[in-house]
Amino acid sequence: MDEPMRIAPSPALARPARVRRRLRHNLTAYLFLLPALLLFGLFAWYPILRGLVISFQRVDLINPPAWVGLANFRLIFGDPLFWRAWRNTLQFAGLALLIGYLVPVALAIAINELRHGRAYFRLAFYLPVILPPMVSVLLWKWFYDPGYGLANAGLRLLDLPPQPWLQSPRTAMLALVIMSTWANAGGTMLIYLAALQGIPAHLYDAAEIDGANLWQRLVHITLPQLRLVMLILLVLQIIGTMQVFTEPFVMTDGGPVNATLTVMLLLYRYAFRYNNFGAAGALGLCLFVVLASFSLLYLWLLRRSAARERGGLA
């Protein structure tokens, strides 16, 4: 008996059927995701879109918003403080990389090499991360006090002259970077420690058999294995330091002589001191474009890492 001939559905009809099957199959998962998507859209995506619109409007919270085109951008580009804020922000990011980028790496490697007390040092270096940022900033503001501060007390013990840490344009930015490094190094150190645990032990065993010392193991095994993690954390640190706000806001208020005025602090001034939310939105959009570029670089590095783990890269 001949079998009935089956007619294959056309691709145009098969595609909607395939989509409906996938929707039915994943319906429960989509319902679980829905509340999170709604909250994320309300508190993350909507403010981004609203900020984009505000950057092209005159908004002062008194009069109705009015469309002004590129007037807000012309205003901020003509403000001398705009370029000063970007220069200070880049200076902060550069100093943070120069001083603070390698500190978590060195701490993680040193703690990983310890035979005893590893948990104690892990906790000790992570404790500053637990402190609320405002507490840390006020604590360091006392450290930098020119009269009775701990920093100048230490200098006096060494017969060195006291320094106007936060009162001098020469040292104010450096003081903020040191404080920020102390407050944030512990969290990054834990990420490096986790990455160190993932390095295959047989590499170190083979190096010890070959007679490699600690420095040679560090240069030829540890750092190459950490290279991708270090690159990703480098991008994240640049993104984080470009948004510095709490430290200059509380410790110096952008002073002295605008030496620590950052982009985020200038944005705050536009919005809440000058009541010009349109200019604040325009400045925020400029910062968004810069940070989005680094975020795209971060996503590219993540995909490259995933491809390497799958063996897609040589």
Side-chain angles (χ1 to χ4, degrees):
M1 183 177 178
D2 294 339
E3 293 183 359
M5 186 174 61
R6 295 180 178 177
I7 301 175
S10 67
L13 294 177
R15 190 173 302 163
R18 208 163 41 238
V19 171
R20 282 195 296 272
R21 277 199 305 272
R22 286 181 180 174
L23 285 175
R24 281 197 300 270
H25 182 71
N26 297 318
L27 182 61
T28 306
Y30 291 145
L31 289 177
F32 275 111
L33 279 175
L34 186 60
L37 287 175
L38 289 176
L39 290 175
F40 197 75
L42 180 63
F43 294 106
W45 295 334
Y46 174 73
I48 293 175
L49 295 176
R50 184 69 184 132
L52 176 64
V53 173
I54 286 178
S55 64
F56 296 96
Q57 291 180 327
R58 184 179 64 246
V59 180
D60 54 13
L61 301 185
I62 299 175
N63 301 303
W67 187 264
V68 294
L70 298 176
N72 291 323
F73 293 92
R74 286 195 291 269
L75 172 67
I76 63 171
F77 290 152
D79 186 354
L81 291 180
F82 173 83
W83 305 107
R84 182 67 184 268
W86 276 104
R87 191 165 63 246
N88 289 342
T89 302
L90 293 176
Q91 183 187 5
F92 182 90
L95 284 174
L97 289 178
L98 186 65
I99 298 175
Y101 178 64
L102 292 179
V103 170
V105 185
L107 288 175
I109 293 174
I111 292 176
N112 196 54
E113 291 291 330
L114 290 176
R115 301 294 182 189
H116 305 286
R118 190 181 295 179
Y120 167 75
F121 284 105
R122 241 188 347 239
L123 176 63
F125 287 112
Y126 188 70
L127 273 178
V129 182
I130 301 174
L131 288 176
M134 190 61 72
V135 174
S136 300
V137 170
L138 292 176
L139 179 67
W140 276 83
K141 193 173 183 181
W142 172 73
F143 281 174
Y144 288 137
D145 188 277
Y148 50 82
L150 188 63
N152 280 339
L155 291 178
R156 291 190 192 96
L157 285 177
L158 299 174
D159 289 331
L160 295 174
Q163 297 295 322
W165 296 101
L166 299 177
Q167 290 72 34
S168 168
R170 189 172 51 86
T171 56
M173 186 63 80
L174 179 64
L176 297 186
V177 171
I178 293 173
M179 181 269 150
S180 179
T181 301
W182 173 85
N184 299 304
T188 311
M189 178 200 69
L190 287 187
I191 297 175
Y192 282 123
L193 273 174
L196 286 171
Q197 303 303 314
I199 298 178
H202 65 83
L203 295 178
Y204 292 107
D205 295 338
E208 288 185 3
I209 292 174
D210 291 341
N213 56 30
L214 178 62
W215 176 254
Q216 289 170 327
R217 292 200 303 271
L218 174 67
V219 172
H220 297 291
I221 298 177
T222 305
L223 291 181
Q225 292 290 321
L226 291 178
R227 183 177 54 191
L228 189 58
V229 178
M230 292 176 68
L231 192 56
I232 292 174
L233 289 177
L234 171 67
V235 176
L236 290 179
Q237 181 171 344
I238 292 174
I239 293 173
T241 51
M242 293 284 285
Q243 301 178 74
V244 59
F245 173 74
T246 306
E247 291 88 347
F249 177 68
V250 177
M251 300 180 79
T252 61
D253 194 24
V257 206
N258 295 317
T260 58
L261 177 68
T262 62
V263 172
M264 288 297 293
L265 188 55
L266 182 60
L267 189 153
Y268 171 84
R269 286 185 179 179
Y270 278 134
F272 298 104
R273 287 193 183 176
Y274 311 142
N275 203 26
N276 190 342
F277 289 85
L283 182 55
L285 183 60
C286 295
L287 183 62
F288 174 81
V289 171
V290 174
L291 295 183
S293 304
F294 284 108
S295 299
L296 291 175
L297 175 62
Y298 170 68
L299 292 176
W300 179 78
L301 288 174
L302 283 181
R303 289 181 180 178
R304 184 181 172 86
S305 172
R308 178 167 293 180
E309 288 179 357
R310 292 194 302 267
L313 295 178

